[in-house]
Amino acid sequence: MTITIRTATAADAALLARLNDHVHALHVEHRPDLFTPSPDAAAHFEEQITAPAVTVFVAEAADGTPAGYAVARIVHWPGNTFAVPDDVVYLDQLSVSPDAARTGVGSALLDAVRAHGRSAGCRRLTTAVWHFNEPARAFYESAGLSPMNQQMDQLL
């Protein structure tokens, strides 16, 4: 599949919300205590697209069909007594349309995020993935990412 990656514009907010639907449904299914079933996702993406440290990428098939998106955030960590300063590109979200799964869309989006981070002077790419999302964890590990830490959770 030929894939084109472009930067999202405000006009893409509703499209991004639709591309996010299946991922959000997975989150709601596994963690209904944390995720609302009916978010105003378009408004969320409008905010993301205009945030200064955020770049949103859209993947399109050769015929222009939207195939996925990625949200990248540049994070400047000033460091402290225990940790060195660091600039990282944080992959906040990545979603591939189920119709485009396993066609290289996710890899193309990840490559765009990496290139964006490098051009911003970042030293590392980081992301978070839910423990229940085994396909995403497998994708990231096959793309060369490795576990960095593990967040734990308990309802009180």
Side-chain angles (χ1 to χ4, degrees), residues 18-140:
R18 283 192 308 277
L19 287 169
N20 178 259
D21 281 347
H22 73 280
V23 174
H24 188 72
L26 180 68
H27 292 158
V28 170
E29 175 188 348
H30 289 276
R31 289 304 304 258
D33 59 313
L34 297 176
F35 292 96
T36 180
S38 302
D40 186 353
H44 167 79
F45 286 110
E46 286 174 10
E47 290 176 16
Q48 293 297 299
I49 289 167
T50 60
V54 174
T55 301
V56 181
F57 297 99
V58 177
E60 295 175 333
D63 64 359
T65 302
Y69 76 90
V71 178
R73 180 179 312 275
I74 302 299
V75 179
H76 303 285
W77 168 249
N80 60 34
T81 301
F82 301 102
V84 299
D86 204 4
D87 292 334
V88 301
V89 59
Y90 178 71
L91 177 59
D92 195 19
Q93 293 179 312
L94 188 141
S95 176
V96 174
S97 170
D99 295 339
R102 300 194 180 278
T103 62
V105 172
S107 295
L109 285 164
L110 191 56
D111 287 345
V113 171
R114 286 179 176 129
H116 176 65
R118 285 185 193 105
S119 71
C122 295
R123 188 174 68 92
R124 295 181 302 120
L125 164 76
T126 63
T127 193
V129 60
W130 287 93
H131 184 69
F132 58 78
N133 195 342
E134 292 182 24
R137 289 183 13 228
F139 166 74
Y140 290 127

